[in-house]
Amino acid sequence: MSTPNLLRSFNFLYFALLAMFIPFLPVYLDSQNFSPAQIGLVIGTGGFITIIAQPLWGMISDKTRTIRNVLLLLLLCSAVTGYLLYNSGSYVQLILVAMLLYFFLMPVDPLTESLNFRIAESSGISYGSIRTYGALGYGVMSLLTGYCLLYFGAFGLGVLFAGTSLLCFLLCWRMPDAPVTGKPVTLDSLKLFLSNKETLLFLVLIFISSVPARMNDTFIGVYILELGGKSALVGQSFFIAAISEIVVFALSFRWLKKGKELIIITFAGAFYFLRFFLSAWISDPHLLTYLQVLQLLTFPVFYSAAIQYLYSIVPEEWRATGQTVLALLFFGVSGILASYAGGAIYQAFGGRVLYLSIAAMSFAGMLFGLLLYRIYGRHTNKTGQPAESQQ
């Protein structure tokens, strides 16, 4: 098997592991009689561990000058901790093992992306032709995991997780290594990067918009169960959302126009608001599941436009720093706040109030996006040319 095909298979299996962990950890905790506030506490703490673990393992990868060998260690540890997670005998053991899985599994993501970029570049193929298989793996395994949990319980899910991890390990064993050449983000570079007002306001927009998205990701499964759905339906909801992303990412070269990023981000914010507002009033878990098709017009549109806009407003030498900060805000810091605050709101007021709250936050993000578009929509980018003239 060629190196790109090995990497495509690896992406499929790794994101399948994420599908067993991220959407279904809240569902599993709910089945173990954790309250929404406790679920938010566990996942929020996992977010803190992820923020520490990702740069730590990145530094280890830099120091040892290898990505593949670090991935092998992380995947082996993930196989063991994932199996133990879904076979935990006590609350204390469950929480401890969940934190270990955050520590071992989540740092695989940025290391995998490094491999994706480097091998795609060296092979003369597009990054998207590799990364699409990750979205496919996430969608397919979301569907399978829901049925596995329904018919075989947590033990079956533990076996499936460990088996998939070992397959991922074997694929990684066969892949060539890619030396680490990127420079780490330093405090001085971060200060310089954040000194630009437009960049800072844009990152505020990302944060405002990402918190409700992360709240939905954390509690949608619990909400479906509360409405009377089963774990299989939770899997179907994430399957619909993940599969819808593939088309948008694959066709981004057609719809993502230079100079139009802020209005596209605002468009995605409007559909985030619509999606969450409708979720608050839906009482049929099946209808709520089908509503996840609106992922088509939210996350992939928002995130693709956000990356392109960021690249247009920062100098080339700061792009790596910019993307690191963007990912940190969208997937890290916002996830911590979303888990803690979302769990508290759900516990105190229920799912409907939670979704009305995140709909209001999305509406605020949409308005802030419109404001930034009014200020910077026709702003010249770093090349000194009007953005809209470069289409």
Side-chain angles (χ1 to χ4, degrees):
M1 187 182 295
S2 66
T3 297
N5 285 335
L6 279 172
L7 191 55
R8 290 183 179 108
S9 301
F10 180 82
N11 272 261
F12 183 94
L13 290 174
Y14 170 64
F15 282 93
L17 289 175
L18 289 183
M20 282 184 269
F21 181 54
I22 295 176
F24 285 94
L25 180 60
V27 174
Y28 178 58
L29 294 176
D30 182 74
S31 72
Q32 300 301 306
N33 299 316
F34 279 62
S35 69
Q38 290 173 320
I39 292 172
L41 182 64
V42 170
I43 295 172
T45 305
F48 274 115
I49 290 177
T50 299
I51 288 177
I52 296 170
Q54 286 185 337
L56 173 63
W57 285 105
M59 290 168 59
I60 292 172
S61 179
D62 286 337
K63 194 72 174 178
T64 57
R65 309 300 297 172
T66 176
I67 294 177
R68 187 179 70 98
N69 292 342
V70 173
L71 284 175
L72 289 171
L73 175 61
L74 291 174
L75 288 168
L76 192 60
C77 293
S78 295
V80 175
T81 51
Y83 177 80
L84 293 175
L85 173 66
Y86 295 111
N87 291 278
S88 298
S90 68
Y91 283 178
V92 174
Q93 181 185 355
L94 194 160
I95 294 171
L96 176 62
V97 175
M99 296 306 104
L100 285 174
L101 193 53
Y102 273 108
F103 184 77
F104 292 125
L105 183 65
M106 301 309 289
V108 175
D109 186 17
L111 294 173
T112 299
E113 296 292 14
S114 294
L115 275 178
N116 289 343
F117 276 111
R118 296 177 190 278
I119 291 180
E121 185 177 28
S122 64
S123 302
I125 59 177
S126 70
Y127 161 77
S129 70
I130 295 176
R131 183 57 177 79
T132 297
Y133 283 80
L136 182 61
Y138 194 95
V140 170
M141 189 55 76
S142 295
L143 187 63
L144 293 178
T145 301
Y147 287 105
C148 178
L149 195 58
L150 180 63
Y151 292 110
F152 301 104
F155 176 77
L157 188 53
V159 172
L160 181 61
F161 189 97
T164 305
S165 298
L166 292 176
L167 285 176
C168 212
F169 176 89
L170 293 175
L171 279 173
C172 187
W173 186 276
R174 295 185 59 191
M175 288 192 303
D177 204 353
V180 181
T181 58
K183 295 181 179 180
V185 177
T186 65
L187 185 59
D188 288 340
S189 69
L190 190 60
K191 288 180 180 178
L192 184 59
F193 172 74
L194 294 176
S195 64
N196 181 276
K197 182 179 179 181
E198 182 179 359
T199 302
L200 188 59
L201 288 174
F202 173 67
L203 292 176
V204 171
L205 170 63
I206 295 299
F207 182 73
I208 293 173
S209 302
S210 60
V211 169
R214 299 281 70 79
M215 282 187 179
N216 175 71
D217 290 346
T218 301
F219 292 103
I220 182 66
V222 177
Y223 193 37
I224 288 174
L225 295 179
E226 180 187 308
L227 294 178
K230 304 296 183 182
S231 61
L233 201 58
V234 176
Q236 291 172 28
S237 70
F238 280 96
F239 172 79
I240 290 171
I243 293 301
S244 69
E245 292 179 6
I246 294 175
V247 177
V248 180
F249 279 128
L251 297 177
S252 61
F253 68 94
R254 290 187 176 274
W255 57 263
L256 188 53
K257 304 298 184 181
K258 290 182 179 180
K260 300 293 186 181
E261 295 92 351
L262 282 175
I263 198 64
I264 291 173
I265 289 171
T266 303
F267 169 86
F271 276 94
Y272 265 131
F273 164 72
L274 178 64
R275 177 181 176 184
F276 299 147
F277 183 78
L278 291 176
S279 297
W281 301 105
I282 290 175
S283 58
D284 183 346
H286 293 86
L287 186 56
L288 182 61
T289 296
Y290 302 145
L291 184 66
Q292 303 315 304
V293 75
L294 285 180
Q295 180 87 345
L296 180 78
L297 299 171
T298 51
F299 171 71
V301 175
F302 183 95
Y303 201 65
S304 298
I307 292 175
Q308 181 165 296
Y309 183 72
L310 185 70
Y311 276 24
S312 75
I313 63 174
V314 299
E316 186 173 355
E317 62 269 24
W318 299 112
R319 285 181 177 179
T321 302
Q323 190 159 354
T324 299
V325 175
L326 179 67
L328 182 66
L329 282 175
F330 200 93
F331 298 107
V333 178
S334 64
I336 295 170
L337 178 60
S339 299
Y340 287 156
I345 294 171
Y346 203 134
Q347 177 75 22
F349 305 106
R352 173 168 293 178
V353 173
L354 173 69
Y355 271 92
L356 287 174
S357 300
I358 65 178
M361 283 184 266
S362 294
F363 189 75
M366 180 191 71
L367 293 179
F368 193 57
L370 282 173
L371 177 63
L372 292 190
Y373 178 70
R374 186 178 181 85
I375 299 172
Y376 298 111
R378 302 181 65 87
H379 187 65
T380 58
N381 63 20
K382 67 182 182 66
T383 65
Q385 296 176 316
E388 292 191 2
S389 70
Q390 298 178 21
Q391 295 179 28

